[in-house]
Amino acid sequence: MDPEAGGPQIIKVTPLQQMLASCTGAVLTSLMVTPLDVVKIRLQAQNNPFSKGKCFVYSNGLMDHVCVCEEESNKAWYKKPGCFRGTLDAFLKIIRNEGIKSLWSGLPPTLVMAVPATVIYFTCYDQLTDLLRCKLGENGSYIPIVAGIVARFGAVTVISPLELIRTKMQSKKFSYKELHQFVSKRVSEDGWISLWRGWAPTVLRDVPFSVLLLAFSMYWYNYEVLKKWLCEKSGLYEPTFMISFTSGALSGSFAAVATLPFDVVKTQKQTQLWMYESHKISMPLHMSTWAIMKNIVAKNGFSGLFTGLIPRLIKIAPACAIMISTYEFGKVFFQKQNARKQQYQ
C-alpha cells in the first residue's frame, strides 16, 4: 500500500498506555545498555584507581549521572579488583567471579530519575504531536521539532530538583531528616529556584538532543523523516520493529554528535559542584555554560568539546534503537488490544 495514499484507520492509544510502553522501553534499555557502562567504569578504575572524592560518569542508557567515589576501601562495586585484559575479558571475569548481577551494579538508584523522565518525555512528545497534527495538519515537518523541544523542557524541568537531591545524597550518607534540612536551607538561602541549579546546561544539552535547529535536524525530526522514508521504500503504511530500530539508531547517532559539547559542559558543571562542596576548589560555582566552553577550548582545544565521542556513539546508538523500537512495539500492542475491544462493543 502506498504510504501517501491514505491507509487503514489508526487506532489511538491512551496516555496511560503510552506511559506503560515508554516505561517498558526505559527499563529494557537500562538492562541492555548498563552492563557496557559498568564494564567501562571498572576498566577505568583499574587503569586509574578512583581516590576518595573523585567523580566519574555513570550511564544507564537513558541519562548520565555524575557519581563520587565515597570510600578508600575496595567495598564499592566500582573499586573491586579484577585484573581485566580488555572489555570481553572484563565481562567474563565479572560474571564468573562476582555473578551476572554485578553487570547492573549501581543501576537501581539511577532509575528513580531516568524512568520518570523518559516516561514524561515520550508521552508528552506523542500527545503534543497528535495535538499539533490535529490543529495544523499531518504534513507539518516542524511538528516533531516543536513537540520534541516542549517535551524535553518538561522532562528536564520535572527531573532537575531530583538530580540535585540525588547528587547531594551521594556526597554524604544523609538521613531523610538531614536531606529535608538541606533542602529547607537551600530554599531559605537561595529561594526555590536554587533547586533547579544545573537546569540551564541540561536544557542546552537535552533540548538540542531533541532538535538542534542550527544543525537542520535532530533526534525526533530525523527519526520521523527516516521512519517515513523507510516505510515508503518498504511499501508499508506503519513501521515495523526493524524500521523503528534502524531509524532510532541513526537519528540517535546524529543527535549524539551534535550535542556532545553540551554534554561535556554539563558533566563538568556537575563535577564542579562536587568539588566545590568538598572544599577542593575555590573557583566560582556559578560559571555560565559558555564560560565553561571557553575554558575547555582554551585548555584542550576545540577537540576538547568532543571528548569521548566514540564511546558515546557506541552507547547512544543501541540505547536509542532499543528505546524507540520497544516504545513503538508497545504502542502497536495496545493498538491491537484497543481494536479488539472496539470489535466487541
Side-chain angles (χ1 to χ4, degrees):
M1 178 180 295
D2 183 5
E4 299 294 332
Q9 180 183 3
I10 302 298
I11 305 298
K12 297 290 186 180
V13 295
T14 66
L16 178 59
Q17 290 172 334
Q18 290 171 341
M19 293 173 70
L20 290 173
S22 57
C23 183
T24 301
V27 173
L28 184 59
T29 300
S30 293
L31 292 176
M32 297 288 285
V33 176
T34 296
L36 298 174
D37 213 60
V38 168
V39 168
K40 181 201 73 175
I41 292 170
R42 293 290 295 273
L43 289 169
Q44 287 177 342
Q46 175 180 275
N47 297 330
N48 297 290
F50 295 153
S51 58
K52 186 176 181 179
K54 183 176 181 180
C55 300
F56 62 93
V57 177
Y58 179 99
S59 174
N60 57 18
L62 301 172
M63 63 170 55
D64 294 339
H65 302 267
V66 176
C67 303
V68 66
C69 182
E70 299 174 353
E71 49 186 289
E72 295 288 355
S73 66
N74 291 332
K75 292 181 180 180
W77 65 267
Y78 46 82
K79 298 190 73 175
K80 292 179 180 179
C83 298
F84 308 128
R85 295 193 298 269
T87 301
L88 182 59
D89 184 59
F91 266 107
L92 297 175
K93 285 184 176 178
I94 289 174
I95 294 173
R96 183 171 64 245
N97 300 330
E98 304 172 24
I100 194 169
K101 289 194 298 184
S102 293
L103 292 176
W104 291 274
S105 298
L107 176 60
T110 68
L111 294 180
V112 174
M113 287 194 310
V115 172
T118 304
V119 170
I120 293 169
Y121 180 38
F122 276 75
T123 304
C124 285
Y125 173 80
D126 260 353
Q127 289 294 311
L128 287 167
T129 299
D130 289 343
L131 177 63
L132 291 172
R133 284 177 175 165
C134 179
K135 299 291 184 181
L136 304 175
E138 289 285 334
N139 297 321
S141 59
Y142 53 86
I143 288 177
I145 295 175
V146 175
I149 289 177
V150 176
R152 182 57 76 179
F153 263 112
V156 170
T157 302
V158 170
I159 246 33
S160 189
L162 295 179
E163 186 166 4
L164 178 66
I165 292 172
R166 181 192 65 84
T167 54
K168 188 65 180 177
M169 290 184 71
Q170 282 189 324
S171 64
K172 295 179 182 178
K173 295 295 184 180
F174 275 122
S175 65
Y176 286 107
K177 182 179 179 181
E178 291 171 328
L179 183 61
H180 179 266
Q181 291 173 345
F182 160 73
V183 174
S184 299
K185 182 180 178 182
R186 177 63 62 85
V187 171
S188 63
E189 291 180 352
D190 302 321
W192 284 100
I193 197 67
S194 64
L195 296 180
W196 278 265
R197 177 175 291 165
W199 180 87
T202 301
V203 166
L204 283 173
R205 180 202 67 182
D206 286 346
V207 169
F209 190 83
S210 300
V211 178
L212 190 59
L213 296 176
L214 296 177
F216 177 68
S217 57
M218 272 298 100
Y219 182 71
W220 284 111
Y221 180 82
N222 279 335
Y223 174 72
E224 298 290 353
V225 169
L226 286 169
K227 182 176 70 173
K228 182 179 179 180
W229 182 76
L230 289 173
C231 284
E232 290 175 351
K233 291 296 181 182
S234 303
L236 300 172
Y237 184 77
E238 286 295 305
T240 63
F241 180 87
M242 283 308 301
I243 287 178
S244 297
F245 190 93
T246 303
S247 301
L250 292 175
S251 57
S253 298
F254 298 152
V257 174
T259 59
L260 181 55
F262 295 107
D263 195 65
V264 171
V265 169
K266 179 177 182 289
T267 299
Q268 186 164 128
K269 195 172 183 70
Q270 288 179 322
T271 302
Q272 184 192 86
L273 175 63
W274 281 115
M275 302 297 285
Y276 180 86
E277 293 186 343
S278 300
H279 306 290
K280 293 184 179 181
I281 60 171
S282 58
M283 63 189 298
L285 181 63
H286 302 286
M287 291 182 66
S288 70
T289 297
W290 300 113
I292 294 176
M293 276 190 172
K294 289 179 182 178
N295 287 342
I296 293 173
V297 173
K299 185 177 180 180
N300 303 312
F302 187 75
S303 61
L305 294 175
F306 292 89
T307 301
L309 175 60
I310 301 303
R312 181 171 169 83
L313 286 174
I314 293 173
K315 174 178 62 181
I316 284 184
C320 288
I322 294 168
M323 179 65 219
I324 194 66
S325 56
T326 304
Y327 178 60
E328 295 284 8
F329 180 84
K331 290 197 299 181
V332 170
F333 171 81
F334 285 120
Q335 283 176 345
K336 292 179 179 178
Q337 294 294 316
N338 295 343
R340 290 194 188 100
K341 289 181 181 178
Q342 286 186 7
Q343 289 178 353
Y344 290 110
Q345 286 179 352

